[in-house]
Amino acid sequence: MTTTMQGTLAAVSSNFLFSILFLFGLILAPLSGTQVAAWRMVMMLISLILMVTLLKQWSHVAEYLKTLKTPKDWLLFIAPTPILGGQIWLFMWGPVNGLGLDVTLGYFLYPLVMILIGRFFYNEAMSQLQWLATGFAALGILYDVVQLGGISWATLFVCLGYPPYYLMRRKLGVPPITGLLSDLTLLLPVVIFILVQSDGVTLLAGTTKLWYLLPLLGIISTGAMALTMTASRQLPVSLFGTLSYLEPIFLFIFSLTILSASAEEGGSPFMYAMLFVALILMVMDGTRSYLARKRDDSLQGYNEPQIASFPPRRRIKSKRIKEVLAAHRFRKMKRYQQKIDKMERKLQKLATTDEG
């Protein structure tokens, strides 16, 4: 297999595994959706700790945390945690409470929201196909708002909740696994409180199937994340982004089939039609971008600093991790450059003095 084929297989597998998690609320009955979400966070944390320990990557976590110097840094680092907790809860709670399609629609709209944020907050250029896709999606949403009087809170929570999470993570250049590990650790006291208060621990003790299904939940969650990281390293950004649309498609299919939801429960047929047109346009745009970059021989992956690739191809040397992380802390690059310029001036001055 070529690297691109491996990355594509990893991306498809990760999207499918994330979609399978959507169904665990039904599989793990008699646990409620909230209890399933709480147990998922516990199992994910355990799996992540084991993974980082086996790969001997704790030094990388520690090295990143050392780069957080000011209270503002720590505030930006901790602030996204409740958002992730709420998203995990809704993802597990929604399907067993009749909101599976509403959550799915949120995942359809989320990439379009990110495109608009990139355009208006970061002045990133939008292609004609992206403008068309955004227009079709907006038309479908506007139609439902006018005809049906609104749009589901679950849809809005997904598509408007994730962008600030990722933007804050991007501002600090947080490696994905480091961020997820810290989020789950910070959420642990709340999760334990929920499980104790809702008798989630008692149900675990009295239900034999949960003894192996809950660890499986954690393994699938961590496996999906690991495959996503692998795909992000092996694929060009455009192709990786295009393949990410597979998850909402899988969720939509599962909602209509396994969850036996009616399409009308999530919105009007016209809105679905507009969203699928927008999705097709986005896939076309991503494919066109990929082919253009392949033709120009300028394909690149994300190259963001991870804890390590999974499985790791090579161990990042500890002495280099600060430099790697600093390179992605864009807000400090000017300060570093000023220090370098100052040192160069001092060296020139010393050289001049020696010559004299």
Side-chain angles (χ1 to χ4, degrees):
M1 277 192 187
T2 64
T3 301
T4 300
M5 291 177 63
Q6 292 175 358
T8 301
L9 181 60
V12 173
S13 300
S14 67
N15 282 290
F16 182 75
L17 288 178
F18 276 125
S19 304
I20 290 293
L21 294 174
F22 200 55
L23 306 174
F24 261 78
L26 298 176
I27 299 173
L28 292 175
L31 293 179
S32 67
T34 299
Q35 290 169 335
V36 172
W39 276 118
R40 179 188 174 187
M41 285 185 257
V42 171
M43 294 301 156
M44 283 179 67
L45 180 59
I46 293 173
S47 299
L48 278 174
I49 290 174
L50 289 174
M51 179 183 293
V52 175
T53 301
L54 291 174
L55 296 173
K56 300 179 180 179
Q57 301 296 323
W58 284 109
S59 61
H60 294 172
V61 178
E63 289 293 342
Y64 176 80
L65 294 178
K66 290 177 182 177
T67 67
L68 303 175
K69 302 293 186 181
T70 67
K72 182 181 177 181
D73 288 345
W74 280 103
L75 179 61
L76 283 173
F77 184 70
I78 296 172
T81 297
I83 299 176
L84 182 69
Q87 294 290 352
I88 293 176
W89 167 78
L90 182 59
F91 190 81
M92 307 308 300
W93 179 87
V96 296
N97 288 275
L99 293 175
L101 275 176
D102 300 285
V103 174
T104 299
L105 288 176
Y107 282 95
F108 273 120
L109 292 173
Y110 158 65
L112 295 169
V113 173
M114 289 297 289
I115 288 174
L116 291 175
I117 289 176
R119 173 63 184 86
F120 293 106
F121 286 86
Y122 291 92
N123 295 318
E124 296 176 354
M126 287 176 63
S127 68
Q128 292 181 345
L129 286 176
Q130 287 178 334
W131 277 113
L132 280 174
T134 304
F136 277 112
L139 182 61
I141 296 299
L142 182 62
Y143 177 85
D144 267 30
V145 170
V146 173
Q147 294 294 321
L148 305 179
I151 188 171
S152 170
W153 66 269
T155 300
L156 293 175
F157 187 78
V158 172
C159 69
L160 300 180
Y162 267 123
Y165 176 83
Y166 287 115
L167 291 176
M168 283 188 279
R169 285 284 180 250
R170 174 179 174 175
K171 187 172 181 62
L172 287 179
V174 183
I177 290 299
T178 300
L180 184 59
L181 192 60
S182 66
D183 287 334
L184 294 174
T185 302
L186 292 170
L187 288 168
L188 187 60
V190 178
V191 167
I192 292 175
F193 176 79
I194 291 172
L195 289 174
V196 172
Q197 289 296 109
S198 64
D199 294 326
V201 178
T202 304
L203 283 173
L204 172 62
T207 310
T208 306
K209 72 174 184 178
L210 298 180
W211 298 352
Y212 59 86
L213 285 178
L214 283 177
L216 181 63
L217 176 65
I219 292 171
I220 292 177
S221 299
T222 307
M225 176 63 69
L227 287 169
T228 298
M229 292 173 59
T230 300
S232 72
R233 283 180 171 272
Q234 294 180 333
L235 293 177
V237 174
S238 54
L239 181 56
F240 179 78
T242 300
L243 290 172
S244 67
Y245 289 107
L246 287 173
E247 183 179 350
I249 292 175
F250 286 141
L251 295 180
F252 185 78
I253 294 172
F254 290 161
S255 295
L256 294 181
T257 55
I258 299 175
L259 297 179
S260 301
S262 171
E264 287 75 14
E265 294 177 13
S268 68
F270 179 79
M271 184 184 71
Y272 283 117
M274 293 298 98
L275 288 179
F276 273 103
V277 170
L279 177 64
I280 291 171
L281 290 173
M282 291 299 298
V283 171
M284 290 172 58
D285 181 75
T287 303
R288 187 182 68 172
S289 176
Y290 168 69
L291 293 176
R293 296 175 68 189
K294 183 178 181 180
R295 182 181 63 249
D296 298 336
D297 195 25
S298 60
L299 292 178
Q300 295 178 358
Y302 276 154
N303 291 325
E304 293 176 352
Q306 313 281 1
I307 240 182
S309 56
F310 293 90
R313 292 185 177 182
R314 62 181 183 274
R315 181 181 174 86
I316 301 176
K317 295 181 179 180
S318 296
K319 66 179 181 180
R320 292 190 58 208
I321 192 65
K322 289 184 180 180
E323 297 172 6
V324 174
L325 291 172
H328 290 267
R329 298 284 295 276
F330 300 108
R331 59 192 179 81
K332 289 189 175 182
M333 289 189 68
K334 184 176 180 181
R335 188 184 305 170
Y336 292 146
Q337 187 60 49
Q338 290 173 344
K339 289 182 178 180
I340 292 173
D341 293 342
K342 187 176 180 181
M343 291 177 63
E344 288 179 347
R345 287 194 296 269
K346 286 184 177 180
L347 289 172
Q348 291 175 356
K349 186 177 180 181
L350 288 173
T352 303
T353 304
D354 290 341
E355 290 176 359

